[in-house]
Amino acid sequence: MFAVYANAINPDDPLGGLVVGERPDPQVPEGWTTVTVKAASINHHDVWSLRGVGLREESLPMILGCDAAGLDEDGNEVIVHAVISDPSWSGDETLDPRRSLLSERFQGTFAEKVAVPRRNVVPKPAGLSMSEAACLPTAWLTAYRMLFTQADLNPGDTVLVQGAGGGVATAAIVLARAAGFRVFATSRDEAKRAQAVEIGAHEAFESGARLPQKVDAVIETVGAATWSHSIKSMRPGGTLVIAGATSGDAPKAAELTRIFFQQMRVHGSTMGTREELRRLAEFMAVSGTRPLIDSELAMHDAARGLQRVIEGDVFGKIVLTR
């Protein structure tokens, strides 16, 4: 079958190990099924895999891709949940210490077909296109869990989203506005600040700028570069939810005194559950909210999409279609 896969790992030239070609049809263990992929979206995870982060050489060749929407074996339109938990695990699968993402230990979604556990197939609402649905399982699900499971927000509360333009940050801005929160966003880039306002932020500020008011929660994926600003921007008792550290995980000032004296909470968050993915898809369908799609490319052009992600020239998701 046609597939886009990593055949070698190269930290300095990630696309040097990328192959667009043919791979064997997926093996389907007991309790698993196949999904015929109609659309799949690119994540930074795919670039990290090509650099060897989270993907071991002994696992090569590995089909890339975490996110997909397509047809199950009965022809139903479905979304693929990317978190693969151990068969013996029950409860929140993001807490399973043996969990993995598609394209880490199991072949990914940039292919004609992908094999997944039957429990990882979620119905796609009719109101979402395949391309829109394919944006949800990683970045949008991460943002959904951060906002609605971890942040303890209520309609009318104020949330700060750091690093507008990133996949999770973009999703968080759109979802937060749709849920009735007051949304502040930051970015070093003037164009991305303008785009943040266009997609739902009430105001956008330069990174590190003083905000008009203290916020109830912060959505943090940048890490070291914005950590101090995030803590200083929160009201007493506020919540910082962190799901990434793209600028590093060792801030110069941890702000521990401010955190304990003002009784703030720091909540880690990773991906989301199957049930949260189902609720996210229904929320999108009912609210009319749609993922922001930067562009759609044929899956044969995956290298071009990955190069744009490497360069950072993306606002929203790049979707690969078949």
Side-chain angles (χ1 to χ4, degrees):
M1 67 175 182
F2 171 82
V4 178
Y5 60 97
N7 197 48
I9 288 171
N10 189 327
D12 300 319
D13 179 21
L15 294 186
L18 184 73
V19 178
V20 177
E22 296 290 319
R23 292 294 299 149
D25 286 347
Q27 297 181 350
V28 187
E30 184 178 354
W32 288 48
T33 188
T34 58
V35 173
T36 299
V37 177
K38 294 300 182 182
S41 65
I42 297 176
N43 292 287
H44 280 284
H45 183 275
D46 303 308
V47 176
W48 294 335
S49 295
L50 288 164
R51 295 187 190 275
V53 179
L55 178 60
R56 300 172 298 176
E57 287 198 23
E58 53 265 36
S59 298
L60 300 177
M62 175 63 71
I63 299 172
L64 298 174
C66 302
D67 297 351
L71 303 176
D72 68 11
E73 293 176 334
D74 296 321
N76 300 306
E77 295 186 340
V78 297
I79 308 172
V80 173
H81 183 233
V83 181
I84 309 297
S85 57
D86 189 85
S88 64
W89 184 263
S90 61
D92 185 336
E93 55 269 32
T94 67
L95 299 178
D96 179 4
R98 291 180 287 185
R99 74 184 184 276
S100 68
L101 290 181
L102 286 172
S103 76
E104 292 179 347
R105 295 203 300 266
F106 304 102
Q107 301 294 323
T109 60
F110 293 177
E112 290 181 41
K113 291 185 178 182
V114 61
V116 294
R118 291 186 184 279
R119 63 181 180 273
N120 280 59
V121 176
V122 175
K124 181 186 79 65
L128 294 178
S129 71
M130 287 291 185
S131 292
E132 291 165 345
C135 296
L136 302 185
T138 298
W140 282 75
L141 179 58
T142 298
Y144 181 92
R145 181 178 176 89
M146 294 175 81
L147 284 167
F148 304 122
T149 303
Q150 315 288 40
D152 193 29
L153 287 166
N154 295 301
D157 284 349
T158 302
V159 59
L160 167 64
V161 180
Q162 296 279 24
V168 174
T170 298
I173 291 168
V174 174
L175 292 172
R177 182 61 182 258
F181 305 146
R182 179 179 291 105
V183 186
F184 295 154
T186 67
S187 175
R188 294 174 299 176
D189 185 277
E190 183 178 358
K192 289 184 177 179
R193 293 196 296 272
Q195 288 173 315
V197 173
E198 288 178 8
I199 65 172
H202 290 84
E203 296 183 73
F205 305 90
E206 192 168 350
S207 297
R210 185 180 181 88
L211 303 182
Q213 66 182 76
K214 296 290 187 179
V215 303
D216 299 289
V218 178
I219 300 302
E220 175 66 84
T221 57
V222 180
T226 55
W227 182 263
S228 182
H229 180 252
S230 291
I231 298 299
K232 291 175 181 177
S233 297
M234 277 197 301
R235 65 165 175 80
T239 302
L240 185 152
V241 185
I242 181 167
T246 56
S247 66
D249 61 1
K252 292 181 179 179
E255 305 288 350
L256 295 181
T257 300
R258 188 184 298 267
I259 290 171
F260 75 72
F261 189 72
Q262 297 194 9
Q263 301 184 72
M264 297 170 173
R265 295 182 300 164
V266 176
H267 207 316
S269 191
T270 298
M271 291 291 290
T273 66
R274 295 183 297 275
E275 176 58 22
E276 286 168 332
L277 177 57
R278 185 195 65 78
R279 294 204 308 262
L280 165 62
E282 290 296 338
F283 176 80
M284 304 291 277
V286 170
S287 67
T289 306
R290 293 294 181 267
L292 180 64
I293 295 177
D294 178 281
S295 56
E296 296 186 31
L297 300 171
M299 197 170 286
H300 286 85
D301 291 331
R304 183 152 60 99
L306 288 162
Q307 182 62 44
R308 288 193 57 209
V309 171
I310 292 170
E311 294 170 353
D313 181 28
V314 179
F315 197 90
K317 300 289 288 182
I318 296 178
V319 179
L320 305 177
T321 60
R322 292 193 63 258

